[in-house]
Amino acid sequence: MFCEQCEQTASGNGCHQWGACGKSPEVNSIQDLLVYCLRSIAPIALKAYELGIPNREIDRFTCEAMFSTMTNVNFSTKRFADSTQQVLQLRKTLKQAVESKSPTPISWPEICNYQPDFEENLSEQGQNFALDLIQKANGNIDIYSLQLTTIYGIKGLASYAFHAYELGQEDEKIYQFIYEALIALDRQDLDLNAWVGLALKVGEMNLRAMELLDAGHTGHYGHPTPTSVPLNHRQGKAILVSGHDIKQLEALLKQTVDTGITVYTHGELLPAHGYPILKQNYPHLFGHFGTAWQNQTKDFAKFPGAIVVTTNCLMPPHETYDQKLFTLGPVGYPGLGYLPSDADGIPDFTPVIQEALELPGFLDDETLREVKTGFAHNAVLSVADHVVEAVKAGKIRHFFLVGGCDGAKPGRSYYTEFVEKVPQDCVVLTLACGKFRFFDKELGEIGNIPRLMDVGQCNDAYSAIQIALGLAKAFDIGVNELPLSMILSWYEQKAVAVLLTLLYLGIQDIRLGPTLPAFISPNVFQLLSDTYHLKAISTPDEDLAACLA
Ligand code: FSO
Ligand code: SF4
């Protein structure tokens, strides 16, 4: 096997024997096979658009299938085999429809005719594609690096487009671009500049997908407002919901009204508490349990109720809790209960509810502490005037966006230390699961402005971008002239898409860690560093001094 799509890739240069995430070589190969089959449908889907016969089922399927191949999403060869079969069935039908409507005969690229043998082992057939891209790049390591950046960015973009369409927000331009990028992977005539342009275009399209997702969330659930979230529990039966999917959280909340069950969020669902409609309609959405995804084997084992994982990051479960753990949507693991969705994408949560009712739940009320969330763009920009005043009066010297993903590596303590060392006259904005390294710290306020503000999930990176653009407007300067530094941590492919968006927007001086992506070649990194002054993190002291200089 070969995979280097995430930050924890083995020895920093690729998982070869077994995934550090727990992915087996069989799963890795069948994921490669599925991605190849998605590439094989792309020219047909694009032609269909040209002929005015777009196919929304294929658009959505492509996004969900790409999402399922991201890190810590799905570990089930069976599910990948089913998806592969489905994509080829969809391809066959679409091809017929396109050919019958085309005024002239179509000569399809060879990839469109690729057919795996479903009677034989699919994982073995997937091994053929491990080296496909480096061959397409004619051994040029920099082009290969940009091909990988593009495909990983597309996975992140597809996951945002998936969440957006779940909430009724779609833009055909995104789907068409995904097909164009998948087709480009089959081309051998693109030079380095063309690949740089394509990677940045992923960033541009990802901005649009995140904008749609933001519109979906705020349209359904209102604009988040600053909200205190208990980190303690209350007596009674309990369900824990993990991942990022707020629509699925809402569906579960609906189905658990009047059951007496208390619902808790885990990981990236913490910011769900900030949405006014969820707060108003579902008082049994109570608190937040546990911390970052990489601590889930301990946190899930301790939770005395049923657990649903709606998206990444799922770790291979321990047998002490696997019977109470369920997955849905693109997520899967062999042996775990899977909740299939109905035509509206909503599962029947009855098995989860039954499991929760059978488990003991919490036996007492506990009073611990609270954290605040809900500082999304609307909330922060509504006080932009105060913020500008505080900066002009010298009360706020600098803003730091310390955001991104968490992971198990010891080097990630950089981010905790960084936040601890941020001077008293500076404000920290945060988002995504990296915040669990410091989310419960009491950093106090400057005037009425909290020194630590949780903007939301990684899926809310759009909100952080709007805050930066809004502040730049309020100060009447460019974003890069703001007293703002971005200190980012990355883990999986959504972070790749977000980074490409920030580069597309021309944001300079981003610091990235805990290590640089293995798939970025030294020349490509040099190019990004020359153009955008993208840099690797060093030490908290050095980086703070440089940002404040
Ligand atoms: Fe984290 Fe996982 Fe949100 Fe990622 S839970 S690491 S970037 O999948 O998605 O921040
Ligand atoms: Fe390795 Fe990450 Fe790929 Fe898993 S997703 S196999 S940890 S590079």
Side-chain angles (χ1 to χ4, degrees):
M1 76 178 271
F2 175 68
C3 181
E4 58 174 354
Q5 69 178 355
C6 81
E7 194 272 337
Q8 66 178 355
T9 195
S11 319
N13 67 11
C15 294
H16 297 274
Q17 311 289 331
W18 197 275
C21 57
K23 181 162 79 168
S24 68
E26 288 72 31
V27 171
N28 188 63
S29 298
I30 201 165
Q31 286 180 342
D32 286 349
L33 178 77
L34 174 60
V35 170
Y36 194 77
C37 291
L38 293 167
R39 284 167 56 192
S40 85
I41 205 173
I44 305 165
L46 205 56
K47 189 78 191 165
Y49 266 105
E50 249 177 69
L51 293 173
I53 39 170
N55 187 310
R56 204 36 54 83
E57 186 186 357
I58 292 177
D59 297 338
R60 294 175 183 166
F61 177 84
T62 299
C63 290
E64 182 165 359
M66 289 298 281
F67 190 178
S68 70
T69 68
M70 275 180 24
T71 306
N72 292 95
V73 177
N74 200 314
F75 299 80
S76 162
T77 44
K78 161 94 180 60
R79 291 271 303 283
F80 286 114
D82 290 348
S83 295
T84 306
Q85 227 152 10
Q86 211 177 331
V87 67
L88 291 181
Q89 189 51 49
L90 290 166
R91 189 182 73 184
K92 189 174 163 200
T93 316
L94 187 67
K95 216 179 195 181
Q96 281 164 357
V98 169
E99 285 172 353
S100 67
K101 185 141 189 214
S102 173
T104 49
I106 305 172
S107 138
W108 297 111
E110 201 185 313
I111 193 171
C112 297
N113 302 320
Y114 171 73
Q115 185 66 41
D117 183 347
F118 285 102
E119 301 301 314
E120 298 293 327
N121 184 311
L122 291 176
S123 288
E124 275 173 22
Q125 295 171 67
Q127 286 167 13
N128 297 335
F129 306 113
L131 295 176
D132 176 62
L133 290 183
I134 188 77
Q135 280 161 3
K136 291 276 168 8
N138 296 318
N140 181 323
I141 207 71
D142 300 321
I143 290 190
Y144 180 53
S145 168
L146 288 161
Q147 287 175 328
L148 292 181
T149 307
T150 301
I151 185 88
Y152 298 155
I154 289 289
K155 290 187 183 193
L157 161 61
S159 75
Y160 289 128
F162 166 86
H163 284 299
Y165 78 64
E166 276 189 306
L167 293 161
Q169 297 285 335
E170 299 187 88
D171 182 343
E172 290 185 347
K173 276 203 221 85
I174 294 175
Y175 299 135
Q176 291 180 39
F177 172 71
I178 291 176
Y179 299 133
E180 280 163 21
L182 291 177
I183 292 168
L185 294 171
D186 211 39
R187 289 174 62 172
Q188 291 184 286
D189 59 330
L190 299 180
D191 64 9
L192 196 81
N193 280 339
W195 276 106
V196 171
L198 199 64
L200 291 175
K201 182 94 181 168
V202 175
E204 181 186 351
M205 286 296 142
N206 188 54
L207 181 65
R208 176 70 182 134
M210 291 194 300
E211 182 187 18
L212 290 174
L213 179 54
D214 185 78
H217 281 148
T218 54
H220 278 77
Y221 311 118
H223 282 280
T225 55
T227 304
S228 292
V229 184
L231 293 179
N232 42 296
H233 58 252
R234 66 186 188 194
Q235 196 192 356
K237 304 288 183 183
I239 294 176
L240 185 64
V241 191
S242 186
H244 303 73
D245 201 313
I246 294 176
K247 179 162 180 191
Q248 298 294 6
L249 170 66
E250 189 205 17
L252 174 80
L253 287 167
K254 254 187 207 155
Q255 292 182 34
T256 46
V257 167
D258 296 332
T259 59
I261 294 171
T262 300
V263 176
Y264 297 81
T265 55
H266 173 263
E268 279 278 68
L269 275 171
L270 167 67
H273 293 273
Y275 287 99
I277 305 285
L278 293 183
K279 278 191 279 191
Q280 269 164 32
N281 293 356
Y282 307 103
H284 61 302
L285 171 63
F286 175 67
H288 187 78
F289 184 90
T291 56
W293 67 268
Q294 76 276 5
N295 303 326
Q296 70 187 243
T297 48
K298 279 191 211 131
D299 289 339
F300 287 179
K302 275 190 282 183
F303 190 76
I307 305 165
V308 187
V309 181
T310 63
T311 67
N312 49 340
C313 283
L314 174 69
M315 292 170 80
H318 286 187
E319 57 193 26
T320 47
Y321 62 81
D322 60 2
Q323 81 295 338
K324 64 181 182 187
L325 186 58
F326 297 83
T327 67
L328 52 76
V331 191
Y333 196 93
L336 293 187
Y338 180 70
L339 306 163
S341 297
D342 65 14
D344 296 323
I346 300 298
D348 175 357
F349 286 99
T350 304
V352 181
I353 295 167
Q354 271 167 0
E355 183 68 24
L357 293 174
E358 277 165 28
L359 287 165
F362 288 104
L363 302 178
D364 58 358
D365 289 329
E366 177 197 48
T367 311
L368 260 180
R369 58 200 196 287
E370 316 185 308
V371 288
K372 272 205 157 163
T373 188
F375 295 94
H377 59 93
N378 201 53
V380 175
L381 292 177
S382 66
V383 294
D385 290 353
H386 297 302
V387 175
V388 173
E389 262 170 45
V391 172
K392 288 193 172 153
K395 290 182 188 150
I396 297 179
R397 181 163 37 139
H398 205 84
F399 297 88
F400 292 96
L401 175 68
V402 186
C405 331
D406 209 347
K409 281 197 181 155
R412 288 182 183 268
S413 58
Y414 165 96
Y415 297 94
T416 322
E417 200 185 325
F418 189 96
V419 169
E420 283 168 353
K421 289 185 165 169
V422 164
Q424 289 297 322
D425 57 357
C426 300
V427 168
V428 177
L429 295 161
T430 188
L431 72 143
C433 62
K435 68 171 155 269
F436 291 111
R437 292 189 173 255
F438 48 79
F439 79 132
D440 53 354
K441 289 200 184 303
E442 296 282 349
L443 296 194
E445 296 185 339
I446 300 177
N448 288 332
I449 302 162
R451 284 191 60 234
L452 177 62
M453 290 191 260
D454 177 17
V455 178
Q457 307 177 325
C458 58
N459 292 16
D460 299 311
Y462 178 79
S463 208
I465 291 169
Q466 290 313 300
I467 290 172
L469 295 176
L471 289 179
K473 198 170 160 209
F475 282 105
D476 198 20
I477 52 177
V479 183
N480 288 317
E481 295 156 70
L482 279 174
L484 165 72
S485 304
M486 297 200 185
I487 316 291
L488 306 185
S489 53
W490 83 284
Y491 174 64
E492 41 80 341
Q493 298 79 53
K494 279 193 241 182
V496 177
V498 172
L499 180 66
L500 292 172
T501 297
L502 295 173
L503 298 180
Y504 158 74
L505 289 168
I507 310 279
Q508 303 267 329
D509 289 310
I510 295 169
R511 284 176 167 75
L512 183 65
T515 55
L516 293 174
F519 55 84
I520 299 280
S521 69
N523 284 338
V524 170
F525 184 71
Q526 193 57 48
L527 191 140
L528 297 177
S529 147
D530 292 346
T531 319
Y532 303 102
H533 305 133
L534 177 70
K535 25 189 150 312
I537 56 167
S538 61
T539 65
D541 289 314
E542 256 180 54
D543 289 346
L544 267 170
C547 294
L548 293 171

